[in-house]
Amino acid sequence: MEALRQDDPRRFGRFTALARFDEGASAVRYVARDLASGESALITAARPELAAVPVFSRRFQAEARTAERLAGGWVAPPLDPGDTAETPADEAEPLWTAAAYVPALPLAEAIAIAGPLPERALRILGAGIAEILSRVHAAGSVLQGLAPGTVLLAADGPRLTAFGPLGAAASAEARPGGQLSVRLGYLTPEQIEGKEVSAASDLFVLGLLLAYAATGTTPFTEGPAEEATRRIAEDEPELDAVPEELRELIANCLAKDPDQRPTAGTVAAELALEGAAGLARGGWLPEPLAAAVADQEARVLALEVPEEGEAEAARAGQADAPAAPEDARPEDPRTFREPEDARTAPEPEDARPVDAPALGKPADVAAPSGDADPGNGDIGEDRGTTRFLNTGPRPPQNDRPTTQLALPHELTAPRAPDALPAAPPAQPAAPLALPAGPVAPQQPGHTHGGPAPYPAAALPAGPAGPGGPGGGPMVSLPLPPAPAPAPDPAASRRTLLTIAAAAVGGLIVGGGSVAALGSGGTAEATDDKPAPKPRRTLPGQAPEPRWTYAHPASESSPLTAALWQDKLLVVTSESQASAVDLRTGKRLWQRADGAKGQAALAAGADLVFVASPTEFLWLSPKNGKVVHRVRYTEAFEDLPGLTVGRLAGSSGPVIWFTGSHTVVEKAPKPKKGKKKGKDKEVVEAYFFAYDIVRRKELWRTSVPAGRAPGTPAYRVVAERSADVLVRQDAASLTAAEVKKAKGKGSVRSFDQKTGKLLWAKQYGAASLEAATTGDEDGTLYAAVGQDLQAFEADSTKPLWRVEGSEDSWFGTPLIAGPLIHTTERSRLVGAVERESGRLVWRRSTEVPGTGPAPSLTLSGSEKTLIAADAVQVTVFAAADGERLWKFQDIGSADPKGETVRASYRALAFGETVVVQRDRSFYAFPVA
């Protein structure tokens, strides 16, 4: 961290800036505080000159939305910015985001402090980042946000802070005409070959990141820079210094063929089977880094808001001070000082762009300066190979003119199929800028602060100079499309974004096209390519869905979803009920009568039963037409004003539900000479059994009313031949019932034929909220503290106990033949023997953080177990717990799109599982 500079903003919405955390090519990060609540935040503020470029603004917002969708675990959650100040009409709207501040060190700074990380820390680092990548890749996206500056090391695990190429850019520069030039700090073999980036590209960079964390350098350092692309594409990485146990995995990540690289899920499982969070318990950072993180936390707590007078004095002092030379930088005790004779000669003030034709020979290109600006991606290194930029601990400097590339407007116009390439213009729209004077090369000594430097080399030139026709074409780095306003017909006013990978002196090497984003829409390429073939399914990667269905945005979000006879997916919402064909994923019908209905059930072989707030409906599965209708006022006419609660359970044609209505109790007749008391309203509640095939009430029994408005919420936990066992949700208990229970939950038994209450029992120390289920043999399984315990239902005798993980508890288990599948809040899923409680297997879903335990679903064959929570769906082999694949849907990248916070649900039939998250449904094949 460093003190605020004179031109730094002081306010970001409700937050007051306290200090600079660090800065990158496209943004500066600040530590800030809400003075009212004391809440600390990490503010990421786009550089004003870049924020004024429309395509940058859209991309910045899109990456911020991605961060919001990935929030949780190893991604800091976004914070409410509060009220923001109005921006003057003549100024660009400031772009910034606020995330929860977590004391942490950038990876590059950590390596500078303590050197390479030990094996356990490497495993936690890699597993944490791989878990995030797994979530991104599950949605078919590519992150392109990994670099030593975008990964932070906190006391409890790693954090990722960049979610696209802007966040991980080595340099970004606004060019004339509203253009934007962005360079990434790495190359991958497929980019060198001009191929599209994919999820496998993120895995290659993850391999580089882990090799860097393990050795302090990158694995393609040996050899002349002019052969760098050949080494990346052909040579094996140098991994001798990587711990032996991790060498093979990192080598696999660095495979030349993208199809041979492991998936992110596979990497996460191999590095930390119990998940990064599980492996990091008890601390994971080496002592010097743990001390540095603690020191940073203490310094942030001690930061005070600069007073206005002090800020003005600082500005005045800086204004009066003599100008510092461009290469001046504060001393850093963790870096070696450079010899004076190795420093670059000062750059002349009249340095200006030169015409592209002047770059006709390699000798014309000067080697990069060792003192080049780290804020611009130049840190005294050659870029002739795959590397990470900005890894040194030196503070950022002011931008210098450097060799950059922006795409001329002419390249964005569509070209006729038979048209010949036009001759290069004498003066490109975005000229290449070089220092006017000679620059002396520098070979600084290598420290753990960054990768080892390379010797200087010039870019091979083609007939028209470097980067021109015949030379090394530019690297294609396609981006996920960012939303854009309507196209501007004036091509000369299009705003362009050119993404290129950093190479020698900032020039571009490799092959393929340049991805251009214009104000008119999504990414387009300057040369035509055939559509890529679909990649084969790899271990850990979700299979291709049989179909997908998107609930219309014009309708309200789904309330319930259920499968009918393995033929229909019936979805209810506030406005209607609708049906989707399970074979094709196409909507068949919708019916407004089913609005706010509960989950659909099969009423015999040819009717769909839906319980709405006012009536029972029987719908035709073919067209949704109402075949039968039973209004509650008619079916239960002796209970006027009956309110039906949610269904407690079903078995064949029988459903169980609760209901309540209000009656008026007349005040008793007063004694002579006394005033008559007031009548009072009393809620009466009942538990019902109803046959949905015969459309007939079987029985009802009076039960205690629940918390206002009065209908108790029941759930059937087991059905036996003579009775049904029922639990009441703790949230629907009255205050008197909670007090009477003394913190312990209970189970009620109702006679199957008459509905008579047989008994109510408590089981050990199972709480009011404890997850409970039972089987037909009379055994109950309940969460007791951190453990799962089995009881005889009738006698409450304990049978066995399974220990849970620390600071966690069990969710509702799932019975499957001789096994019981378990789920825990710590994201552990497993199986135990139903008879003895012996643990068969236990695996982590690899979802960081805490929350409700995943809900469990079995496939039709019971061979596959599906665990769904708020973050992802994880699929296991039910027999041995092998992790098969994961799936996540991070939603639309539209900056104005709705953020999806709904949990995942899984509905299984036959060899298919339907995964739902809010409006989106995916039908995946399963065993």
Side-chain angles (χ1 to χ4, degrees), residues 121-145:
L122 288 170
R123 288 183 176 275
I124 294 167
L125 169 66
I129 300 304
E131 288 166 7
I132 300 173
L133 291 179
S134 179
R135 296 167 60 191
V136 174
H137 296 168
S141 301
V142 182
L143 183 70
Q144 291 187 274

Side-chain angles (χ1 to χ4, degrees), residues 488-801:
D488 187 341
S492 61
R493 297 181 62 187
R494 290 180 60 123
T495 304
L496 301 177
L497 169 62
T498 303
I499 301 294
V504 181
L507 292 173
I508 310 305
V509 296
S513 64
V514 174
L517 292 183
S519 60
T522 59
E524 58 187 359
T526 58
D527 62 350
D528 295 327
K529 291 185 179 180
K533 297 180 180 179
R535 290 187 60 187
R536 59 186 176 87
T537 300
L538 299 174
Q541 179 178 350
E544 286 293 321
R546 302 185 193 277
W547 51 259
T548 61
Y549 166 72
H551 192 71
S554 59
E555 301 176 12
S556 55
S557 294
L559 296 174
T560 70
L563 304 181
W564 181 86
Q565 299 283 53
D566 293 355
K567 295 178 181 179
L568 297 180
L569 169 68
V570 181
V571 179
T572 66
S573 68
E574 292 282 349
S575 57
Q576 63 191 14
S578 57
V580 175
D581 190 332
L582 285 176
R583 297 171 303 165
T584 64
K586 303 296 184 182
R587 179 188 269 195
L588 298 179
W589 51 260
Q590 61 243 33
R591 178 63 58 179
D593 301 76
K596 301 181 181 179
Q598 300 191 48
L601 297 170
D606 55 0
L607 291 177
V608 178
F609 172 82
V610 175
S612 83
T614 59
E615 59 190 351
F616 291 150
L617 298 171
W618 287 260
L619 310 177
S620 166
K622 295 181 179 180
N623 54 24
K625 180 181 178 181
V626 178
V627 179
H628 301 291
R629 185 193 308 267
V630 174
R631 292 183 173 88
Y632 302 148
T633 54
E634 299 170 358
F636 311 101
E637 57 185 11
D638 58 328
L639 301 175
L642 178 70
T643 299
V644 173
R646 74 176 191 210
L647 299 185
S650 66
S651 177
V654 179
I655 61 171
W656 295 283
F657 61 92
T658 54
S660 66
H661 77 134
T662 303
V663 297
V664 176
E665 284 190 352
K666 296 288 185 179
K669 187 176 180 180
K671 294 181 180 180
K672 189 175 181 180
K674 299 291 184 181
K675 287 186 178 181
K676 182 181 179 181
K678 292 183 178 180
D679 297 342
K680 62 179 180 178
E681 293 185 342
V682 177
V683 175
E684 294 180 346
Y686 300 89
F687 184 42
F688 297 84
Y690 191 93
D691 189 317
I692 61 175
V693 172
R694 294 188 291 163
R695 301 192 296 280
K696 177 182 178 182
E697 180 184 346
L698 300 179
W699 50 256
R700 78 177 74 158
T701 188
S702 180
V703 295
R707 186 185 298 270
T711 303
Y714 281 8
R715 184 173 66 87
V716 174
V717 297
E719 180 194 7
R720 302 190 293 184
S721 59
D723 63 353
V724 288
L725 305 184
V726 175
R727 281 265 295 183
Q728 183 174 350
D729 286 357
S732 70
L733 292 170
T734 64
E737 289 175 317
V738 172
K739 183 177 180 181
K740 182 180 178 181
K742 297 181 179 179
K744 295 183 179 181
S746 63
V747 172
R748 295 183 176 101
S749 168
F750 292 91
D751 187 274
Q752 277 271 32
K753 294 181 179 180
T754 65
K756 178 183 177 181
L757 177 64
L758 301 178
W759 49 255
K761 300 178 185 293
Q762 294 179 327
Y763 294 85
S767 68
L768 292 167
E769 298 85 7
T772 306
T773 194
D775 60 28
E776 69 281 1
D777 298 330
T779 304
L780 283 180
Y781 310 92
V784 180
Q786 296 182 173
D787 303 333
L788 180 68
Q789 196 163 355
F791 300 88
E792 284 185 355
D794 295 310
S795 68
T796 72
K797 175 185 176 182
L799 300 176
W800 49 254
R801 178 189 295 264

